Amino acid sequence: MKKITSYAVFLGLLVLLGCRDDSLNPLPGWEPGVHGFGVFADIAEPKDGSGSRPNAVANAVNFPVANQGAAKENFRLRWVSLDNKLTVNKMEVYVNMLESYNDPDGNPKTASLGAKLIKTISPAPGNRTWSDFSISPDDIYTLYKDATVKYDGTNAVKVFENPARPRSATQRLLGAGKVNGLNVNADQFVLTWYLYTTDGLVFKVWNSDSICGDPTPYSQAAANCSLNWTVK
């Protein structure tokens, strides 16, 4: 009886395995991907695997409030392929400027001036190899000198010509202060990147938990999606 039962089970497994149609599987197979890791270059990367990432935290380095003519922010960016199945041949770096102001009712507002291409790295170096670049206040000004905000909700005013918050050639970007007696935050900046592969794929959005909020200790596989800094 045991032999008959065992044979029936074995035969049943053969039927199940032999009749499986993988095209009907509702779960798609995993495809190769790449991600980026950007850091502030002036802060040394950790070596002990402790999980500390001081070179990638928000506002780790900031533009100075005064004497901005010679100021710059130094960055390092690399692309990472965990399975080595894709190769990145170009990286585009974008920056978004955020300006704080108060509406006519005194409510604090933040205007996003939109992400703009500020650096192109092509050809990109190899997997896990750093690319170095810098961004200055003048670079930011060049990108956004014609950007406007409707501070009163109706009339568009050029950000860099706004009489309520005067700017100058040596102080393009502003720290926290007051306008008409009300507090306003400093100008803020967000750095992001697009990764282009040799087979025509473009990676510009990643899972916020596993990549953008990577909780693992620092390693050669480290990931993030953006860098933030301000004026202090």
Side-chain angles (χ1 to χ4, degrees):
M1 190 66 174
K2 283 185 178 181
K3 288 184 178 180
I4 295 174
T5 302
S6 298
Y7 180 75
V9 171
F10 176 71
L11 184 61
L13 288 173
L14 284 178
V15 171
L16 287 173
L17 293 174
C19 296
R20 174 173 174 168
D21 185 350
D22 287 330
S23 67
L24 300 177
N25 185 357
L27 299 176
W30 292 104
E31 295 183 353
V34 293
H35 64 261
F37 184 50
V39 300
F40 294 97
D42 295 330
I43 299 178
E45 62 184 87
K47 300 293 186 182
D48 58 4
S50 63
S52 174
R53 298 185 187 184
N55 53 5
V57 299
N59 301 327
V61 181
N62 300 293
F63 284 139
V65 173
N67 301 319
Q68 294 175 355
K72 63 179 180 177
E73 218 42 295
N74 298 313
F75 299 94
R76 308 187 83 192
L77 175 65
R78 68 187 181 199
W79 63 272
V80 178
S81 172
L82 297 177
D83 56 14
N84 295 303
K85 291 184 178 180
L86 294 175
T87 299
V88 171
N89 62 346
K90 182 174 74 170
M91 298 188 289
E92 290 182 344
V93 181
Y94 291 80
V95 67
N96 187 12
M97 178 176 172
L98 308 175
E99 192 203 13
S100 296
Y101 68 98
N102 296 297
D103 68 14
D105 295 322
N107 300 308
K109 300 287 185 179
T110 300
S112 168
L113 303 188
K116 293 183 178 291
L117 178 65
I118 194 166
K119 300 288 179 181
T120 299
I121 301 168
S122 179
N127 193 8
R128 297 182 174 90
T129 301
W130 290 113
S131 290
D132 296 286
F133 60 94
S134 301
I135 296 175
S136 70
D138 281 347
D139 291 332
I140 300 293
Y141 169 75
T142 299
L143 284 181
Y144 293 105
K145 62 183 179 180
D146 294 321
T148 61
V149 171
K150 294 181 179 179
Y151 298 107
D152 62 359
T154 303
N155 300 298
V157 176
K158 285 188 176 182
V159 170
F160 285 90
E161 298 177 11
N162 179 12
R165 297 193 76 192
R167 301 168 187 263
S168 68
T170 58
Q171 193 175 18
R172 302 283 198 194
L173 310 172
L174 301 180
K178 288 183 179 291
V179 176
N180 297 324
L182 299 175
N183 293 327
V184 290
N185 292 325
D187 294 333
Q188 302 171 64
F189 313 93
V190 182
L191 196 77
T192 55
W193 41 84
Y194 290 8
L195 306 178
Y196 294 77
T197 68
T198 54
D199 56 356
L201 298 176
V202 181
F203 293 83
K204 56 184 178 180
V205 178
W206 290 269
N207 180 282
S208 60
D209 294 326
S210 62
I211 299 297
C212 302
D214 182 7
T216 60
Y218 177 83
S219 72
Q220 288 297 306
N224 61 358
C225 294
S226 63
L227 287 173
N228 300 64
W229 76 101
T230 185
V231 179
K232 284 186 178 180

Coordinates of all heavy atoms in Angstrom, one line a residue, residues 119-194:
K119 N 24.7 69.4 -14.7 CA 25.9 68.7 -15.1 C 25.6 67.4 -15.9 O 24.6 66.7 -15.6 CB 26.8 68.3 -13.8 CG 27.2 69.4 -12.9 CD 28.3 70.2 -13.6 CE 28.7 71.4 -12.6 NZ 29.7 72.2 -13.2
T120 N 26.4 67.1 -16.9 CA 26.4 65.9 -17.6 C 27.7 65.2 -17.5 O 28.7 65.8 -17.9 CB 26.0 66.1 -19.1 OG1 24.7 66.7 -19.1 CG2 25.9 64.8 -19.8
I121 N 27.7 63.9 -17.1 CA 28.9 63.2 -17.0 C 28.9 62.1 -18.1 O 28.2 61.1 -17.9 CB 29.1 62.6 -15.6 CG1 29.1 63.7 -14.5 CG2 30.4 61.7 -15.5 CD1 28.9 63.2 -13.1
S122 N 29.7 62.3 -19.1 CA 29.6 61.4 -20.3 C 31.0 61.4 -21.0 O 31.5 62.5 -21.3 CB 28.5 61.7 -21.2 OG 28.5 60.9 -22.3
P123 N 31.6 60.3 -21.1 CA 31.2 58.9 -20.7 C 31.3 58.8 -19.2 O 32.2 59.3 -18.6 CB 32.1 58.0 -21.4 CG 33.4 58.8 -21.6 CD 32.9 60.2 -21.8
A124 N 30.4 58.0 -18.6 CA 30.5 57.8 -17.2 C 31.6 56.7 -16.9 O 31.8 55.9 -17.7 CB 29.1 57.3 -16.7
P125 N 32.3 56.9 -15.8 CA 33.3 55.9 -15.4 C 32.6 54.5 -15.0 O 31.4 54.4 -15.1 CB 34.0 56.5 -14.2 CG 33.0 57.4 -13.6 CD 32.2 57.9 -14.7
G126 N 33.4 53.6 -14.7 CA 33.0 52.2 -14.4 C 32.1 52.1 -13.2 O 32.0 53.0 -12.4
N127 N 31.6 50.9 -13.0 CA 30.8 50.5 -11.9 C 31.5 50.9 -10.5 O 32.6 50.5 -10.3 CB 30.5 49.0 -11.9 CG 29.4 48.6 -11.0 OD1 28.7 49.4 -10.4 ND2 29.2 47.3 -10.9
R128 N 30.8 51.6 -9.7 CA 31.2 52.0 -8.3 C 32.5 52.9 -8.4 O 33.2 53.1 -7.4 CB 31.6 50.8 -7.5 CG 30.4 49.8 -7.2 CD 30.8 48.7 -6.3 NE 29.7 47.9 -5.9 CZ 29.3 46.8 -6.5 NH1 29.9 46.5 -7.7 NH2 28.3 46.1 -6.1
T129 N 32.7 53.6 -9.5 CA 33.8 54.6 -9.6 C 33.2 56.0 -9.5 O 32.3 56.4 -10.2 CB 34.5 54.4 -11.0 OG1 34.9 53.0 -11.1 CG2 35.7 55.3 -11.1
W130 N 33.9 56.8 -8.7 CA 33.4 58.1 -8.4 C 33.6 59.1 -9.6 O 34.6 59.0 -10.2 CB 34.1 58.7 -7.2 CG 33.8 58.1 -5.9 CD1 34.6 57.4 -5.0 CD2 32.5 58.2 -5.2 NE1 33.9 57.0 -3.9 CE2 32.6 57.5 -3.9 CE3 31.3 58.8 -5.5 CZ2 31.6 57.4 -3.0 CZ3 30.2 58.6 -4.6 CH2 30.4 57.9 -3.3
S131 N 32.7 60.0 -9.8 CA 32.8 61.2 -10.6 C 32.7 62.4 -9.7 O 31.8 62.5 -8.9 CB 31.7 61.2 -11.7 OG 31.9 60.2 -12.6
D132 N 33.6 63.3 -9.9 CA 33.7 64.5 -9.1 C 33.2 65.8 -9.8 O 33.6 65.9 -11.0 CB 35.1 64.8 -8.5 CG 35.6 63.7 -7.6 OD1 35.1 63.6 -6.5 OD2 36.4 62.8 -8.1
F133 N 32.5 66.6 -9.2 CA 32.0 67.9 -9.8 C 31.7 68.9 -8.8 O 31.5 68.5 -7.6 CB 30.8 67.6 -10.8 CG 29.6 67.1 -10.1 CD1 28.6 67.9 -9.6 CD2 29.5 65.7 -9.9 CE1 27.5 67.4 -9.0 CE2 28.3 65.2 -9.3 CZ 27.3 66.0 -8.8
S134 N 31.5 70.1 -9.2 CA 31.2 71.2 -8.2 C 30.1 72.0 -8.7 O 29.8 72.1 -9.9 CB 32.4 72.1 -8.0 OG 33.5 71.4 -7.5
I135 N 29.4 72.7 -7.8 CA 28.3 73.6 -8.1 C 28.5 74.9 -7.3 O 28.7 74.8 -6.1 CB 26.9 73.0 -7.8 CG1 26.7 71.7 -8.7 CG2 25.8 74.0 -8.0 CD1 25.4 71.0 -8.4
S136 N 28.4 76.0 -8.0 CA 28.6 77.3 -7.3 C 27.3 78.1 -7.3 O 26.4 77.8 -8.0 CB 29.6 78.1 -8.1 OG 29.1 78.5 -9.3
P137 N 27.2 79.1 -6.4 CA 26.0 80.0 -6.4 C 25.8 80.6 -7.8 O 24.7 80.8 -8.2 CB 26.4 81.0 -5.4 CG 27.3 80.3 -4.4 CD 28.1 79.4 -5.2
D138 N 26.9 80.9 -8.5 CA 26.7 81.5 -9.9 C 26.1 80.5 -10.8 O 25.4 80.9 -11.7 CB 28.1 82.0 -10.4 CG 28.5 83.3 -9.8 OD1 27.7 84.0 -9.2 OD2 29.7 83.7 -10.0
D139 N 26.4 79.2 -10.6 CA 25.8 78.2 -11.5 C 24.3 78.1 -11.2 O 23.5 78.0 -12.2 CB 26.4 76.8 -11.1 CG 27.8 76.6 -11.6 OD1 28.2 77.3 -12.5 OD2 28.5 75.8 -10.9
I140 N 23.9 78.3 -9.9 CA 22.5 78.3 -9.6 C 21.8 79.5 -10.2 O 20.7 79.4 -10.8 CB 22.3 78.3 -8.1 CG1 22.9 77.0 -7.4 CG2 20.8 78.4 -7.7 CD1 22.3 75.7 -7.8
Y141 N 22.5 80.6 -10.1 CA 21.9 81.9 -10.7 C 21.7 81.8 -12.2 O 20.7 82.2 -12.7 CB 22.9 83.1 -10.4 CG 22.5 84.3 -11.1 CD1 21.4 85.1 -10.7 CD2 23.3 84.7 -12.2 CE1 21.1 86.2 -11.4 CE2 22.9 85.9 -12.9 CZ 21.8 86.6 -12.5 OH 21.5 87.7 -13.2
T142 N 22.7 81.2 -12.9 CA 22.6 81.0 -14.3 C 21.4 80.2 -14.7 O 20.7 80.5 -15.7 CB 23.9 80.4 -14.9 OG1 25.0 81.2 -14.6 CG2 23.8 80.2 -16.4
L143 N 21.1 79.2 -13.9 CA 19.9 78.3 -14.2 C 18.6 79.0 -13.9 O 17.7 78.8 -14.7 CB 20.0 77.0 -13.3 CG 21.0 75.9 -13.7 CD1 20.9 74.8 -12.7 CD2 20.8 75.4 -15.1
Y144 N 18.6 79.8 -12.9 CA 17.3 80.4 -12.4 C 17.1 81.9 -12.6 O 16.2 82.4 -12.0 CB 17.1 79.9 -11.0 CG 16.9 78.4 -10.8 CD1 17.9 77.6 -10.3 CD2 15.7 77.8 -11.2 CE1 17.7 76.3 -10.2 CE2 15.5 76.5 -11.1 CZ 16.5 75.7 -10.5 OH 16.3 74.3 -10.4
K145 N 18.0 82.5 -13.3 CA 18.0 84.0 -13.3 C 16.7 84.5 -13.9 O 16.3 85.7 -13.7 CB 19.1 84.5 -14.1 CG 19.2 84.1 -15.6 CD 20.5 84.6 -16.2 CE 20.6 84.2 -17.7 NZ 21.8 84.7 -18.3
D146 N 16.0 83.7 -14.7 CA 14.7 84.1 -15.3 C 13.5 83.5 -14.7 O 12.4 83.7 -15.1 CB 14.7 83.8 -16.8 CG 15.7 84.6 -17.6 OD1 15.9 85.8 -17.3 OD2 16.4 84.1 -18.5
A147 N 13.7 82.7 -13.6 CA 12.6 82.0 -12.9 C 11.8 83.0 -12.2 O 12.2 84.0 -11.7 CB 13.2 81.0 -11.9
T148 N 10.5 82.8 -12.2 CA 9.5 83.8 -11.6 C 8.6 83.0 -10.6 O 8.4 81.8 -10.7 CB 8.6 84.4 -12.6 OG1 7.8 83.4 -13.3 CG2 9.4 85.2 -13.6
V149 N 8.1 83.8 -9.6 CA 7.2 83.3 -8.6 C 6.1 84.3 -8.5 O 6.3 85.6 -8.5 CB 7.8 83.1 -7.3 CG1 6.8 82.8 -6.2 CG2 8.9 81.9 -7.4
K150 N 4.8 83.9 -8.3 CA 3.7 84.8 -8.1 C 3.5 85.0 -6.6 O 2.7 84.3 -6.0 CB 2.4 84.2 -8.8 CG 2.5 84.2 -10.3 CD 1.2 83.7 -10.9 CE 1.4 83.7 -12.5 NZ 0.1 83.1 -13.1
Y151 N 4.3 85.8 -6.0 CA 4.3 86.0 -4.6 C 3.0 86.5 -4.1 O 2.6 86.2 -3.0 CB 5.4 87.0 -4.2 CG 6.8 86.5 -4.5 CD1 7.5 87.1 -5.6 CD2 7.4 85.5 -3.8 CE1 8.8 86.7 -5.9 CE2 8.7 85.1 -4.1 CZ 9.4 85.7 -5.2 OH 10.7 85.3 -5.5
D152 N 2.3 87.3 -4.9 CA 1.0 87.8 -4.5 C -0.2 87.0 -5.0 O -1.3 87.3 -4.9 CB 0.8 89.3 -4.9 CG 0.8 89.4 -6.4 OD1 1.0 88.4 -7.1 OD2 0.7 90.6 -6.9
G153 N 0.2 85.8 -5.7 CA -0.8 85.0 -6.2 C -1.3 85.3 -7.6 O -2.0 84.6 -8.3
T154 N -0.8 86.5 -8.1 CA -1.2 86.9 -9.4 C -0.1 87.3 -10.4 O 0.0 86.9 -11.5 CB -2.2 88.1 -9.3 OG1 -3.3 87.8 -8.5 CG2 -2.7 88.6 -10.6
N155 N 0.8 88.2 -9.9 CA 1.8 88.8 -10.7 C 3.1 88.0 -10.6 O 3.7 87.8 -9.5 CB 2.0 90.2 -10.3 CG 0.8 91.1 -10.5 OD1 0.3 91.2 -11.5 ND2 0.3 91.6 -9.3
A156 N 3.7 87.6 -11.7 CA 5.0 86.9 -11.7 C 6.1 87.9 -11.6 O 6.2 88.9 -12.3 CB 5.1 86.1 -13.0
V157 N 7.0 87.6 -10.6 CA 8.2 88.4 -10.3 C 9.4 87.5 -10.4 O 9.4 86.4 -9.9 CB 8.1 89.0 -8.9 CG1 9.4 89.8 -8.6 CG2 6.9 89.9 -8.8
K158 N 10.5 88.0 -11.1 CA 11.7 87.3 -11.1 C 12.3 87.1 -9.7 O 12.4 88.1 -9.0 CB 12.7 88.0 -12.1 CG 12.4 87.8 -13.6 CD 13.5 88.4 -14.4 CE 13.3 88.1 -15.9 NZ 14.4 88.6 -16.7
V159 N 12.6 85.9 -9.4 CA 13.1 85.6 -8.1 C 14.4 86.4 -7.7 O 14.5 87.0 -6.6 CB 13.5 84.1 -8.0 CG1 14.2 83.8 -6.7 CG2 12.2 83.2 -8.0
F160 N 15.3 86.6 -8.7 CA 16.5 87.3 -8.4 C 16.4 88.8 -8.6 O 17.4 89.5 -8.5 CB 17.6 86.7 -9.3 CG 18.1 85.4 -8.9 CD1 17.6 84.2 -9.4 CD2 19.2 85.3 -8.0 CE1 18.0 83.0 -9.0 CE2 19.6 84.0 -7.6 CZ 19.0 82.9 -8.0
E161 N 15.2 89.2 -8.9 CA 14.9 90.7 -8.9 C 13.8 91.1 -8.0 O 13.2 92.2 -8.1 CB 14.6 91.1 -10.4 CG 15.7 90.8 -11.3 CD 15.4 91.2 -12.8 OE1 14.3 91.8 -13.0 OE2 16.1 90.8 -13.7
N162 N 13.5 90.2 -7.1 CA 12.4 90.5 -6.1 C 12.8 91.6 -5.1 O 13.7 91.3 -4.3 CB 12.0 89.2 -5.4 CG 10.9 89.4 -4.4 OD1 10.2 90.4 -4.3 ND2 10.7 88.4 -3.5
P163 N 12.2 92.7 -5.1 CA 12.6 93.8 -4.3 C 12.4 93.5 -2.8 O 13.0 94.1 -1.9 CB 11.7 95.0 -4.7 CG 10.5 94.4 -5.4 CD 11.0 93.1 -6.0
A164 N 11.5 92.5 -2.5 CA 11.3 92.2 -1.1 C 12.5 91.4 -0.5 O 12.7 91.5 0.7 CB 10.0 91.4 -1.0
R165 N 13.2 90.8 -1.3 CA 14.4 90.0 -0.9 C 15.6 90.4 -1.8 O 15.9 89.6 -2.7 CB 14.2 88.5 -0.8 CG 13.1 88.1 0.2 CD 13.1 86.6 0.4 NE 14.2 86.2 1.2 CZ 14.7 85.0 1.4 NH1 14.1 84.0 0.8 NH2 15.7 84.7 2.2
P166 N 16.2 91.5 -1.7 CA 17.3 91.9 -2.6 C 18.5 90.9 -2.6 O 18.9 90.4 -1.6 CB 17.7 93.3 -2.0 CG 16.6 93.7 -1.2 CD 16.0 92.5 -0.6
R167 N 19.0 90.7 -3.8 CA 20.2 89.8 -4.0 C 21.2 90.6 -4.7 O 20.9 91.6 -5.4 CB 19.8 88.6 -4.8 CG 18.7 87.7 -4.1 CD 18.2 86.6 -5.0 NE 17.0 85.9 -4.4 CZ 17.1 84.8 -3.8 NH1 18.3 84.2 -3.7 NH2 16.0 84.2 -3.3
S168 N 22.5 90.2 -4.6 CA 23.6 90.9 -5.3 C 24.5 89.9 -5.9 O 24.4 88.7 -5.8 CB 24.4 91.8 -4.3 OG 25.0 90.9 -3.3
A169 N 25.5 90.5 -6.7 CA 26.5 89.6 -7.4 C 27.3 88.8 -6.4 O 27.8 87.7 -6.8 CB 27.3 90.4 -8.3
T170 N 27.5 89.3 -5.2 CA 28.3 88.6 -4.2 C 27.4 87.8 -3.2 O 27.9 87.1 -2.4 CB 29.2 89.5 -3.4 OG1 28.4 90.5 -2.8 CG2 30.2 90.2 -4.3
Q171 N 26.1 87.9 -3.4 CA 25.2 87.2 -2.5 C 24.0 86.8 -3.3 O 22.9 87.4 -3.2 CB 24.8 88.0 -1.3 CG 24.1 87.2 -0.2 CD 23.8 88.0 1.0 OE1 23.8 89.3 1.0 NE2 23.5 87.4 2.1
R172 N 24.2 85.9 -4.3 CA 23.1 85.5 -5.1 C 22.0 84.7 -4.4 O 20.8 84.9 -4.7 CB 23.7 84.5 -6.2 CG 24.8 85.0 -7.1 CD 24.3 85.9 -8.1 NE 25.2 86.1 -9.2 CZ 25.1 87.1 -10.1 NH1 24.1 87.9 -10.1 NH2 26.0 87.2 -11.1
L173 N 22.4 84.0 -3.4 CA 21.5 83.1 -2.6 C 21.4 83.6 -1.2 O 22.4 84.1 -0.6 CB 22.0 81.7 -2.7 CG 22.4 81.2 -4.1 CD1 23.1 79.8 -4.1 CD2 21.2 81.1 -5.0
L174 N 20.2 83.4 -0.6 CA 19.9 84.0 0.7 C 19.7 83.0 1.8 O 19.1 81.9 1.6 CB 18.7 84.9 0.5 CG 18.7 86.0 -0.5 CD1 17.4 86.8 -0.5 CD2 19.9 87.0 -0.2
G175 N 20.2 83.4 3.0 CA 20.0 82.6 4.1 C 18.7 83.0 4.8 O 17.9 83.8 4.2
A176 N 18.4 82.4 5.9 CA 17.1 82.7 6.6 C 17.1 84.2 7.1 O 18.2 84.8 7.3 CB 17.0 81.8 7.8
G177 N 15.9 84.8 7.1 CA 15.8 86.2 7.5 C 14.4 86.6 7.7 O 13.5 85.7 7.9
K178 N 14.1 87.9 7.5 CA 12.8 88.4 7.7 C 12.4 89.3 6.5 O 13.2 90.0 5.9 CB 12.7 89.2 9.0 CG 12.8 88.4 10.3 CD 12.6 89.4 11.5 CE 12.6 88.6 12.8 NZ 11.4 87.7 12.9
V179 N 11.2 89.2 6.1 CA 10.6 90.0 5.1 C 9.3 90.6 5.7 O 8.4 89.9 6.1 CB 10.3 89.2 3.8 CG1 9.6 90.1 2.8 CG2 11.5 88.6 3.2
N180 N 9.3 92.0 5.8 CA 8.1 92.7 6.3 C 7.8 92.2 7.7 O 6.7 92.0 8.1 CB 6.9 92.5 5.5 CG 7.1 93.2 4.1 OD1 7.8 94.2 4.0 ND2 6.5 92.6 3.1
G181 N 8.9 91.9 8.5 CA 8.8 91.4 9.9 C 8.4 90.0 10.1 O 8.3 89.5 11.2
L182 N 8.3 89.2 9.0 CA 8.0 87.8 9.0 C 9.2 86.9 8.7 O 9.9 87.3 7.8 CB 6.8 87.5 8.1 CG 5.5 88.2 8.4 CD1 4.4 87.9 7.4 CD2 4.9 87.8 9.8
N183 N 9.3 85.8 9.4 CA 10.4 84.9 9.1 C 10.3 84.2 7.8 O 9.2 83.8 7.4 CB 10.5 83.9 10.2 CG 10.9 84.4 11.6 OD1 11.7 85.4 11.6 ND2 10.4 83.9 12.6
V184 N 11.4 84.1 7.1 CA 11.5 83.3 5.8 C 12.7 82.4 5.9 O 13.7 82.8 6.5 CB 11.6 84.1 4.6 CG1 10.2 84.8 4.3 CG2 12.7 85.1 4.6
N185 N 12.6 81.2 5.4 CA 13.7 80.2 5.5 C 14.7 80.5 4.4 O 14.4 81.3 3.4 CB 13.1 78.8 5.3 CG 12.3 78.3 6.5 OD1 12.6 78.7 7.6 ND2 11.3 77.5 6.2
A186 N 15.9 79.9 4.5 CA 16.9 80.1 3.6 C 16.6 79.4 2.3 O 15.7 78.5 2.2 CB 18.2 79.5 4.1
D187 N 17.2 79.8 1.2 CA 17.1 79.1 -0.1 C 17.6 77.7 0.1 O 18.6 77.4 0.9 CB 18.0 79.7 -1.2 CG 17.5 81.1 -1.6 OD1 16.2 81.4 -1.4 OD2 18.3 82.0 -2.0
Q188 N 16.9 76.7 -0.5 CA 17.3 75.3 -0.4 C 17.5 74.7 -1.8 O 16.9 75.2 -2.8 CB 16.1 74.6 0.3 CG 15.8 75.1 1.7 CD 14.6 74.5 2.3 OE1 14.6 73.3 2.5 NE2 13.5 75.3 2.5
F189 N 18.2 73.6 -1.8 CA 18.6 73.0 -3.1 C 18.5 71.5 -2.9 O 18.9 70.9 -1.9 CB 20.0 73.4 -3.5 CG 20.2 74.9 -3.4 CD1 20.7 75.4 -2.2 CD2 19.7 75.7 -4.4 CE1 20.8 76.8 -2.1 CE2 19.9 77.1 -4.3 CZ 20.4 77.7 -3.1
V190 N 18.0 70.8 -4.0 CA 17.9 69.3 -4.0 C 18.6 68.8 -5.3 O 18.3 69.2 -6.4 CB 16.5 68.9 -4.1 CG1 16.4 67.4 -4.0 CG2 15.7 69.5 -2.9
L191 N 19.6 68.0 -5.1 CA 20.4 67.4 -6.2 C 19.8 66.0 -6.5 O 19.7 65.2 -5.6 CB 21.8 67.3 -5.8 CG 22.8 67.0 -7.0 CD1 23.0 68.3 -7.7 CD2 24.2 66.6 -6.4
T192 N 19.5 65.7 -7.7 CA 19.1 64.3 -8.2 C 19.9 63.9 -9.4 O 20.6 64.8 -10.0 CB 17.6 64.3 -8.4 OG1 17.3 65.3 -9.4 CG2 16.8 64.5 -7.2
W193 N 19.6 62.7 -9.9 CA 20.4 62.2 -11.1 C 19.6 61.2 -11.9 O 18.7 60.5 -11.4 CB 21.7 61.6 -10.6 CG 21.6 60.8 -9.4 CD1 21.2 59.5 -9.3 CD2 21.9 61.2 -8.0 NE1 21.2 59.0 -8.0 CE2 21.6 60.1 -7.2 CE3 22.3 62.4 -7.5 CZ2 21.8 60.2 -5.8 CZ3 22.4 62.5 -6.1 CH2 22.2 61.4 -5.3
Y194 N 19.9 61.2 -13.2 CA 19.4 60.2 -14.1 C 20.6 59.4 -14.6 O 21.7 59.9 -14.9 CB 18.8 60.9 -15.4 CG 17.5 61.6 -15.2 CD1 17.0 61.9 -14.0 CD2 16.8 62.1 -16.3 CE1 15.8 62.6 -13.8 CE2 15.7 62.8 -16.2 CZ 15.1 63.1 -15.0 OH 14.0 63.8 -14.8

